[in-house]
Amino acid sequence: MSRQRPVLRRLLPSFPSRPRPKLVSLRTTFAVSFAAVTAAVTVLVGVLSYSAAARLVRVDQESVFDEVVQDLRDEVRDQRMAPEDFSSAEPGHDIVRPARTDVQVLGPNGTVVDGGTPGLPVVAADRTVAGAADAGEMAEHKDVDVGNDVYRIATVSLGGGRGAVQVAQEFSDTEDLLRALQQRTLILMAAVVTAAGLFGWWLARRITHRLVILTTAAENVARTRRLGVQVPVTGHDEVGRLGRAFDRMLGRLAQSEEDQRRLVQDAGHELRTPLTSLRTNISLLHRIDELPPDIRDELVADLGQEARELTDLVNELVDLAAGQSDAEPPRKLDLADLAEEVAALARRRTGRQIVLRASGDTSSYGRPGMLQRAVSNLVENATKFDRDGRAPVEIAVTGPARPGVVRVEVLDRGPGIAEADLTRVFDRFYRAADARSRPGSGLGLSIVREVALAHGGAPFAARRAGGGSVIGFTVGGSLPEGRRGPEEAPEGV
């Protein structure tokens, strides 16, 4: 089948690959979106405003015309009037000649007695109304072209076949006014949309400027793999918080990388000694039959001891690496109960007397496995350096020493710690001069420090009055920032 695939590829038609769409920047997207929203709102407001204004103007003009016509009908019904009464030469009838209103008087047969300015058209319906017997009858005509203007005309009968009066109102100037208003509205909307686009671009540039800086820093980190990059982002809004969080994340990653590098270097250095000793003893196994029985037994014992020390060292390295993981879910726990579990296990393993003293509120928030490992290391360290001691090993859990802080310490009556070593006992692989002959890797107290720091606390070591040492750590009551997710927040925080 694999040999047929190139043939099938040649037989199948080739289609041009679709070009990948060009990415649009957030700045452009924001500016276009801002302009689009502004344009939509502006157009909507402009259309609604123009429609409302045009409707009000038209309704007002129509209502004025209707009032004029109604007044005319009421007047001819109340008084017996002739066409001459409405002549432009007769005083007292200016009431029917308001602004933009034209009046034309018709005789009994519909002839024009007094023409309007301009003259209004007379049709059959108007002649019929002029010859009507009842006063106040009306014929209405809408959208009548008179010259270059548009009028609305109403013809009102005088009654008794005496004629009629035509009242016309010009609507074309109103429409011209509305068209001018429409043009100005469109120009204003275009200006607002243009200004919104420019303002949106400026605002998007201002907002996304820090995001561009943050993106550039992230791309530089991805390209150069250098984590020690200072992120120049300021502000107290979401972008500023994102920049500071990114800066802290880079700092933590850089510190983690440095810790990993140092751990590998220290582990490699510490592993050389037992491996060299194992290689030397293994080379002697080729001549084991030539060795005396006592030397042979000593060689086998050394191999077993070195294998155990190497196993312990590897296990503690694994524990140290696992202690830096945040995979274990944190929860509310009682450190006194946890210390009692450690003490019970130590009693079974060593046969030593382990005494627990607890006072105050010893509840805290943390990862049980890590804290149990830290307390175990302290107890193992105490029993190891006070192997033949008859005094009990004491575990003291006190809380709160400060608000939300619980203190855990282990006290022994061993040889104690020299003043010069108090500040270094928590360093990885560090072993005091008088402790190098004893079994151990120097990682137990380093794990205690990592656990304490991971829980917002700190390790401590001191010389005990009357001989021995006091070694312990504090727990801060909550995980430090960066080690807790939203789902891990303690109740009440």
Side-chain angles (χ1 to χ4, degrees):
M1 291 296 293
S2 61
R3 295 180 179 179
Q4 296 177 0
R5 288 177 182 173
V7 178
L8 292 175
R9 292 194 188 101
R10 289 195 296 269
L11 293 178
L12 291 174
S14 61
F15 297 96
S17 59
R18 297 179 59 185
R20 297 181 62 182
K22 186 178 180 180
L23 296 178
V24 180
S25 66
L26 180 61
R27 180 182 302 172
T28 302
T29 302
F30 185 85
V32 172
S33 301
F34 186 84
V37 172
T38 305
V41 173
T42 303
V43 170
L44 180 61
V45 172
V47 170
L48 293 178
S49 300
Y50 172 77
S51 300
R55 183 174 180 275
L56 288 175
V57 171
R58 291 190 178 101
V59 169
D60 182 67
Q61 293 294 320
E62 291 177 357
S63 62
V64 169
F65 182 73
D66 291 339
E67 289 178 2
V68 170
V69 173
Q70 187 62 42
D71 290 342
L72 176 61
R73 296 179 69 184
D74 292 340
E75 185 177 6
V76 298
R77 285 172 181 169
D78 294 341
Q79 303 178 24
R80 180 180 177 86
M81 305 183 72
E84 292 78 10
D85 296 330
F86 290 92
S87 174
S88 56
E90 289 290 329
H93 293 286
D94 292 339
I95 188 173
V96 297
R97 298 177 183 268
R100 298 198 308 275
T101 301
D102 188 16
V103 177
Q104 181 170 273
V105 183
L106 302 180
N109 54 358
T111 58
V112 178
V113 175
D114 188 359
T117 305
L120 302 178
V122 180
V123 298
D126 299 326
R127 297 187 184 95
T128 303
V129 170
D134 297 329
E137 291 191 13
M138 184 180 67
E140 187 177 9
H141 311 286
K142 294 182 179 180
D143 300 331
V144 179
D145 294 330
V146 180
N148 296 325
D149 299 322
V150 179
Y151 283 80
R152 179 184 176 189
I153 302 175
T155 304
V156 178
S157 65
L158 298 177
R162 291 187 298 273
V165 178
Q166 285 185 308
V167 181
Q169 185 179 35
E170 181 184 353
F171 282 92
S172 56
D173 56 348
T174 302
E175 297 300 325
D176 292 340
L177 176 64
L178 293 178
R179 278 193 294 270
L181 176 62
Q182 184 181 40
Q183 292 176 356
R184 293 185 180 182
T185 302
L186 291 176
I187 294 174
L188 180 61
M189 287 192 298
V192 170
V193 171
T194 302
L198 295 176
F199 179 74
W201 179 261
W202 174 83
L203 185 62
R205 181 182 179 85
R206 182 179 178 85
I207 292 177
T208 60
H209 177 67
R210 291 176 294 164
L211 288 177
V212 171
I213 295 176
L214 186 59
T215 302
T216 303
E219 290 174 347
N220 289 336
V221 171
R223 183 177 64 255
T224 62
R225 298 186 179 180
R226 292 185 300 176
L227 299 176
V229 177
Q230 184 71 24
V231 181
V233 177
T234 58
H236 300 282
D237 55 1
E238 289 78 0
V239 179
R241 290 172 53 196
L242 176 62
R244 288 188 293 273
F246 185 72
D247 191 47
R248 288 193 298 268
M249 180 188 69
L250 289 180
R252 287 178 57 82
L253 288 176
Q255 183 63 40
S256 178
E257 185 180 45
E258 176 62 22
D259 292 343
Q260 184 181 20
R261 183 187 62 80
R262 187 159 52 90
L263 176 62
V264 171
Q265 291 178 349
D266 294 344
H269 174 75
E270 293 297 323
L271 286 172
R272 288 191 187 99
T273 300
L275 288 176
T276 301
S277 180
L278 279 174
R279 187 167 58 250
T280 301
N281 289 332
I282 290 174
S283 64
L284 294 176
L285 291 178
H286 296 289
R287 297 185 296 113
I288 193 171
D289 295 336
E290 303 174 6
L291 300 176
D294 55 342
I295 300 299
R296 186 186 308 169
D297 294 339
E298 184 179 353
L299 175 62
V300 173
D302 287 345
L303 285 173
Q305 179 64 27
E306 290 163 357
R308 284 191 296 272
E309 290 184 3
L310 185 61
T311 300
D312 293 340
L313 177 59
V314 172
N315 289 337
E316 288 187 337
L317 284 172
V318 172
D319 290 339
L320 182 61
Q324 296 175 352
S325 172
D326 293 345
E328 184 182 14
R331 62 180 178 83
K332 196 78 171 182
L333 50 85
D334 192 328
L335 286 175
D337 295 340
L338 185 144
E340 178 58 36
E341 295 176 2
V342 172
L345 181 61
R347 294 187 192 104
R348 292 194 298 269
R349 287 180 176 177
T350 64
R352 293 287 300 274
Q353 184 180 2
I354 311 294
V355 178
L356 173 65
R357 293 185 287 104
S359 61
D361 182 11
T362 58
S363 61
S364 183
Y365 188 80
R367 295 180 167 89
M370 295 175 64
L371 292 171
Q372 187 174 22
R373 178 61 175 169
V375 178
S376 274
N377 285 359
L378 293 177
V379 174
E380 289 176 6
N381 185 77
T383 57
K384 178 172 64 176
F385 287 97
D386 189 18
R387 187 180 300 274
D388 300 327
R390 296 183 179 180
V393 174
E394 301 179 19
I395 305 176
V397 183
T398 308
R402 296 191 305 274
V405 177
V406 179
R407 181 183 179 94
V408 179
E409 57 186 13
V410 175
L411 304 89
D412 62 66
R413 289 296 181 183
I417 304 175
E419 290 288 343
D421 296 327
L422 287 176
T423 58
R424 301 190 59 188
V425 293
F426 294 101
D427 294 344
R428 292 174 181 173
F429 302 106
Y430 180 77
R431 303 180 70 190
D434 56 354
R436 290 172 184 170
S437 60
R438 298 178 182 270
S441 62
L443 286 176
L445 296 184
S446 178
I447 294 175
V448 172
R449 182 188 64 180
E450 295 293 335
V451 173
L453 295 178
H455 288 78
F460 58 86
R463 295 173 62 84
R464 187 181 183 187
S469 60
V470 180
I471 306 177
F473 63 93
T474 59
V475 176
S478 62
L479 298 185
E481 185 178 359
R483 293 180 178 266
R484 180 176 64 208
E487 71 284 358
E488 300 173 351
E491 295 181 2
V493 177

PDB file of all heavy atoms in Angstrom, residues 320-342:
ATOM      1  N   LEU A 320      11.758  15.641  47.677  1.00  0.00           N
ATOM      2  CA  LEU A 320      12.014  17.073  47.553  1.00  0.00           C
ATOM      3  C   LEU A 320      11.392  17.622  46.276  1.00  0.00           C
ATOM      4  O   LEU A 320      10.776  18.695  46.279  1.00  0.00           O
ATOM      5  CB  LEU A 320      13.514  17.338  47.567  1.00  0.00           C
ATOM      6  CG  LEU A 320      13.943  18.801  47.498  1.00  0.00           C
ATOM      7  CD1 LEU A 320      13.403  19.568  48.690  1.00  0.00           C
ATOM      8  CD2 LEU A 320      15.458  18.909  47.423  1.00  0.00           C
ATOM      9  N   ALA A 321      11.549  16.877  45.178  1.00  0.00           N
ATOM     10  CA  ALA A 321      10.951  17.325  43.920  1.00  0.00           C
ATOM     11  C   ALA A 321       9.431  17.293  43.994  1.00  0.00           C
ATOM     12  O   ALA A 321       8.756  18.203  43.508  1.00  0.00           O
ATOM     13  CB  ALA A 321      11.447  16.463  42.766  1.00  0.00           C
ATOM     14  N   ALA A 322       8.881  16.256  44.637  1.00  0.00           N
ATOM     15  CA  ALA A 322       7.424  16.162  44.750  1.00  0.00           C
ATOM     16  C   ALA A 322       6.881  17.221  45.697  1.00  0.00           C
ATOM     17  O   ALA A 322       5.752  17.705  45.536  1.00  0.00           O
ATOM     18  CB  ALA A 322       7.018  14.769  45.240  1.00  0.00           C
ATOM     19  N   GLY A 323       7.701  17.630  46.685  1.00  0.00           N
ATOM     20  CA  GLY A 323       7.258  18.645  47.624  1.00  0.00           C
ATOM     21  C   GLY A 323       7.064  19.988  46.983  1.00  0.00           C
ATOM     22  O   GLY A 323       6.345  20.836  47.487  1.00  0.00           O
ATOM     23  N   GLN A 324       7.704  20.245  45.828  1.00  0.00           N
ATOM     24  CA  GLN A 324       7.550  21.508  45.124  1.00  0.00           C
ATOM     25  C   GLN A 324       6.334  21.503  44.222  1.00  0.00           C
ATOM     26  O   GLN A 324       6.031  22.495  43.573  1.00  0.00           O
ATOM     27  CB  GLN A 324       8.806  21.790  44.294  1.00  0.00           C
ATOM     28  CG  GLN A 324      10.055  21.970  45.151  1.00  0.00           C
ATOM     29  CD  GLN A 324      11.297  22.130  44.310  1.00  0.00           C
ATOM     30  OE1 GLN A 324      11.260  21.964  43.096  1.00  0.00           O
ATOM     31  NE2 GLN A 324      12.397  22.444  44.954  1.00  0.00           N
ATOM     32  N   SER A 325       5.617  20.383  44.146  1.00  0.00           N
ATOM     33  CA  SER A 325       4.444  20.300  43.271  1.00  0.00           C
ATOM     34  C   SER A 325       3.209  20.773  44.012  1.00  0.00           C
ATOM     35  O   SER A 325       3.059  20.572  45.224  1.00  0.00           O
ATOM     36  CB  SER A 325       4.251  18.839  42.814  1.00  0.00           C
ATOM     37  OG  SER A 325       3.038  18.705  42.123  1.00  0.00           O
ATOM     38  N   ASP A 326       2.332  21.413  43.309  1.00  0.00           N
ATOM     39  CA  ASP A 326       1.074  21.887  43.888  1.00  0.00           C
ATOM     40  C   ASP A 326      -0.093  20.974  43.525  1.00  0.00           C
ATOM     41  O   ASP A 326      -1.233  21.395  43.527  1.00  0.00           O
ATOM     42  CB  ASP A 326       0.773  23.307  43.391  1.00  0.00           C
ATOM     43  CG  ASP A 326       1.789  24.305  43.929  1.00  0.00           C
ATOM     44  OD1 ASP A 326       2.503  23.951  44.873  1.00  0.00           O
ATOM     45  OD2 ASP A 326       1.848  25.425  43.380  1.00  0.00           O
ATOM     46  N   ALA A 327       0.234  19.705  43.198  1.00  0.00           N
ATOM     47  CA  ALA A 327      -0.828  18.816  42.729  1.00  0.00           C
ATOM     48  C   ALA A 327      -1.764  18.409  43.862  1.00  0.00           C
ATOM     49  O   ALA A 327      -2.935  18.131  43.639  1.00  0.00           O
ATOM     50  CB  ALA A 327      -0.222  17.574  42.080  1.00  0.00           C
ATOM     51  N   GLU A 328      -1.241  18.321  45.111  1.00  0.00           N
ATOM     52  CA  GLU A 328      -2.072  17.892  46.238  1.00  0.00           C
ATOM     53  C   GLU A 328      -3.067  18.987  46.593  1.00  0.00           C
ATOM     54  O   GLU A 328      -2.680  20.135  46.803  1.00  0.00           O
ATOM     55  CB  GLU A 328      -1.186  17.579  47.439  1.00  0.00           C
ATOM     56  CG  GLU A 328      -1.966  17.028  48.629  1.00  0.00           C
ATOM     57  CD  GLU A 328      -1.075  16.781  49.826  1.00  0.00           C
ATOM     58  OE1 GLU A 328       0.066  17.276  49.820  1.00  0.00           O
ATOM     59  OE2 GLU A 328      -1.519  16.121  50.767  1.00  0.00           O
ATOM     60  N   PRO A 329      -4.352  18.665  46.648  1.00  0.00           N
ATOM     61  CA  PRO A 329      -5.344  19.712  46.943  1.00  0.00           C
ATOM     62  C   PRO A 329      -5.249  20.149  48.406  1.00  0.00           C
ATOM     63  O   PRO A 329      -5.191  19.308  49.303  1.00  0.00           O
ATOM     64  CB  PRO A 329      -6.685  19.014  46.658  1.00  0.00           C
ATOM     65  CG  PRO A 329      -6.386  17.556  46.808  1.00  0.00           C
ATOM     66  CD  PRO A 329      -4.974  17.354  46.388  1.00  0.00           C
ATOM     67  N   PRO A 330      -5.222  21.429  48.683  1.00  0.00           N
ATOM     68  CA  PRO A 330      -5.178  21.911  50.067  1.00  0.00           C
ATOM     69  C   PRO A 330      -6.546  21.834  50.714  1.00  0.00           C
ATOM     70  O   PRO A 330      -7.572  21.874  50.039  1.00  0.00           O
ATOM     71  CB  PRO A 330      -4.714  23.365  49.913  1.00  0.00           C
ATOM     72  CG  PRO A 330      -5.201  23.757  48.557  1.00  0.00           C
ATOM     73  CD  PRO A 330      -5.151  22.532  47.709  1.00  0.00           C
ATOM     74  N   ARG A 331      -6.557  21.764  52.030  1.00  0.00           N
ATOM     75  CA  ARG A 331      -7.813  21.729  52.770  1.00  0.00           C
ATOM     76  C   ARG A 331      -7.557  22.178  54.207  1.00  0.00           C
ATOM     77  O   ARG A 331      -6.425  22.332  54.632  1.00  0.00           O
ATOM     78  CB  ARG A 331      -8.421  20.325  52.758  1.00  0.00           C
ATOM     79  CG  ARG A 331      -7.570  19.255  53.416  1.00  0.00           C
ATOM     80  CD  ARG A 331      -8.236  17.904  53.357  1.00  0.00           C
ATOM     81  NE  ARG A 331      -7.444  16.832  53.925  1.00  0.00           N
ATOM     82  CZ  ARG A 331      -7.392  16.533  55.223  1.00  0.00           C
ATOM     83  NH1 ARG A 331      -8.113  17.247  56.095  1.00  0.00           N
ATOM     84  NH2 ARG A 331      -6.646  15.558  55.666  1.00  0.00           N
ATOM     85  N   LYS A 332      -8.639  22.367  54.917  1.00  0.00           N
ATOM     86  CA  LYS A 332      -8.550  22.746  56.319  1.00  0.00           C
ATOM     87  C   LYS A 332      -8.155  21.517  57.140  1.00  0.00           C
ATOM     88  O   LYS A 332      -8.712  20.426  56.961  1.00  0.00           O
ATOM     89  CB  LYS A 332      -9.895  23.283  56.795  1.00  0.00           C
ATOM     90  CG  LYS A 332      -9.839  24.062  58.097  1.00  0.00           C
ATOM     91  CD  LYS A 332      -9.319  25.456  57.871  1.00  0.00           C
ATOM     92  CE  LYS A 332      -9.476  26.311  59.128  1.00  0.00           C
ATOM     93  NZ  LYS A 332      -9.019  27.694  58.931  1.00  0.00           N
ATOM     94  N   LEU A 333      -7.174  21.664  58.054  1.00  0.00           N
ATOM     95  CA  LEU A 333      -6.724  20.524  58.856  1.00  0.00           C
ATOM     96  C   LEU A 333      -6.259  21.010  60.221  1.00  0.00           C
ATOM     97  O   LEU A 333      -6.032  22.202  60.435  1.00  0.00           O
ATOM     98  CB  LEU A 333      -5.602  19.764  58.132  1.00  0.00           C
ATOM     99  CG  LEU A 333      -4.414  20.564  57.599  1.00  0.00           C
ATOM    100  CD1 LEU A 333      -3.362  20.772  58.670  1.00  0.00           C
ATOM    101  CD2 LEU A 333      -3.787  19.868  56.405  1.00  0.00           C
ATOM    102  N   ASP A 334      -6.088  20.034  61.122  1.00  0.00           N
ATOM    103  CA  ASP A 334      -5.609  20.318  62.471  1.00  0.00           C
ATOM    104  C   ASP A 334      -4.189  19.788  62.576  1.00  0.00           C
ATOM    105  O   ASP A 334      -3.947  18.579  62.467  1.00  0.00           O
ATOM    106  CB  ASP A 334      -6.508  19.650  63.509  1.00  0.00           C
ATOM    107  CG  ASP A 334      -6.234  20.158  64.915  1.00  0.00           C
ATOM    108  OD1 ASP A 334      -5.069  20.495  65.193  1.00  0.00           O
ATOM    109  OD2 ASP A 334      -7.169  20.212  65.737  1.00  0.00           O
ATOM    110  N   LEU A 335      -3.229  20.681  62.764  1.00  0.00           N
ATOM    111  CA  LEU A 335      -1.823  20.266  62.813  1.00  0.00           C
ATOM    112  C   LEU A 335      -1.526  19.411  64.048  1.00  0.00           C
ATOM    113  O   LEU A 335      -0.604  18.586  64.020  1.00  0.00           O
ATOM    114  CB  LEU A 335      -0.927  21.500  62.792  1.00  0.00           C
ATOM    115  CG  LEU A 335      -0.813  22.201  61.432  1.00  0.00           C
ATOM    116  CD1 LEU A 335      -0.007  23.481  61.569  1.00  0.00           C
ATOM    117  CD2 LEU A 335      -0.172  21.277  60.415  1.00  0.00           C
ATOM    118  N   ALA A 336      -2.270  19.582  65.117  1.00  0.00           N
ATOM    119  CA  ALA A 336      -2.058  18.739  66.294  1.00  0.00           C
ATOM    120  C   ALA A 336      -2.422  17.286  65.983  1.00  0.00           C
ATOM    121  O   ALA A 336      -1.697  16.356  66.367  1.00  0.00           O
ATOM    122  CB  ALA A 336      -2.874  19.267  67.466  1.00  0.00           C
ATOM    123  N   ASP A 337      -3.545  17.072  65.298  1.00  0.00           N
ATOM    124  CA  ASP A 337      -3.918  15.708  64.917  1.00  0.00           C
ATOM    125  C   ASP A 337      -2.890  15.112  63.954  1.00  0.00           C
ATOM    126  O   ASP A 337      -2.534  13.926  64.041  1.00  0.00           O
ATOM    127  CB  ASP A 337      -5.300  15.713  64.261  1.00  0.00           C
ATOM    128  CG  ASP A 337      -6.390  16.128  65.237  1.00  0.00           C
ATOM    129  OD1 ASP A 337      -6.149  16.035  66.459  1.00  0.00           O
ATOM    130  OD2 ASP A 337      -7.468  16.548  64.774  1.00  0.00           O
ATOM    131  N   LEU A 338      -2.412  15.942  63.020  1.00  0.00           N
ATOM    132  CA  LEU A 338      -1.412  15.447  62.074  1.00  0.00           C
ATOM    133  C   LEU A 338      -0.121  15.080  62.799  1.00  0.00           C
ATOM    134  O   LEU A 338       0.510  14.048  62.498  1.00  0.00           O
ATOM    135  CB  LEU A 338      -1.162  16.522  61.013  1.00  0.00           C
ATOM    136  CG  LEU A 338      -0.241  16.180  59.849  1.00  0.00           C
ATOM    137  CD1 LEU A 338      -0.746  16.840  58.560  1.00  0.00           C
ATOM    138  CD2 LEU A 338       1.182  16.667  60.114  1.00  0.00           C
ATOM    139  N   ALA A 339       0.297  15.892  63.772  1.00  0.00           N
ATOM    140  CA  ALA A 339       1.507  15.588  64.533  1.00  0.00           C
ATOM    141  C   ALA A 339       1.337  14.324  65.367  1.00  0.00           C
ATOM    142  O   ALA A 339       2.287  13.554  65.552  1.00  0.00           O
ATOM    143  CB  ALA A 339       1.864  16.771  65.429  1.00  0.00           C
ATOM    144  N   GLU A 340       0.138  14.078  65.874  1.00  0.00           N
ATOM    145  CA  GLU A 340      -0.108  12.853  66.638  1.00  0.00           C
ATOM    146  C   GLU A 340       0.047  11.620  65.755  1.00  0.00           C
ATOM    147  O   GLU A 340       0.592  10.588  66.192  1.00  0.00           O
ATOM    148  CB  GLU A 340      -1.501  12.905  67.258  1.00  0.00           C
ATOM    149  CG  GLU A 340      -1.885  11.648  68.046  1.00  0.00           C
ATOM    150  CD  GLU A 340      -0.918  11.350  69.174  1.00  0.00           C
ATOM    151  OE1 GLU A 340      -0.422  12.293  69.801  1.00  0.00           O
ATOM    152  OE2 GLU A 340      -0.653  10.149  69.410  1.00  0.00           O
ATOM    153  N   GLU A 341      -0.404  11.691  64.517  1.00  0.00           N
ATOM    154  CA  GLU A 341      -0.224  10.569  63.584  1.00  0.00           C
ATOM    155  C   GLU A 341       1.256  10.308  63.327  1.00  0.00           C
ATOM    156  O   GLU A 341       1.703   9.155  63.285  1.00  0.00           O
ATOM    157  CB  GLU A 341      -0.946  10.869  62.270  1.00  0.00           C
ATOM    158  CG  GLU A 341      -2.462  10.970  62.402  1.00  0.00           C
ATOM    159  CD  GLU A 341      -3.114  11.354  61.089  1.00  0.00           C
ATOM    160  OE1 GLU A 341      -2.384  11.495  60.072  1.00  0.00           O
ATOM    161  OE2 GLU A 341      -4.343  11.523  61.064  1.00  0.00           O
ATOM    162  N   VAL A 342       2.027  11.385  63.156  1.00  0.00           N
ATOM    163  CA  VAL A 342       3.465  11.228  62.936  1.00  0.00           C
ATOM    164  C   VAL A 342       4.127  10.628  64.173  1.00  0.00           C
ATOM    165  O   VAL A 342       4.995   9.749  64.074  1.00  0.00           O
ATOM    166  CB  VAL A 342       4.096  12.594  62.575  1.00  0.00           C
ATOM    167  CG1 VAL A 342       5.618  12.494  62.525  1.00  0.00           C
ATOM    168  CG2 VAL A 342       3.558  13.097  61.248  1.00  0.00           C
TER     169      VAL A 342
END
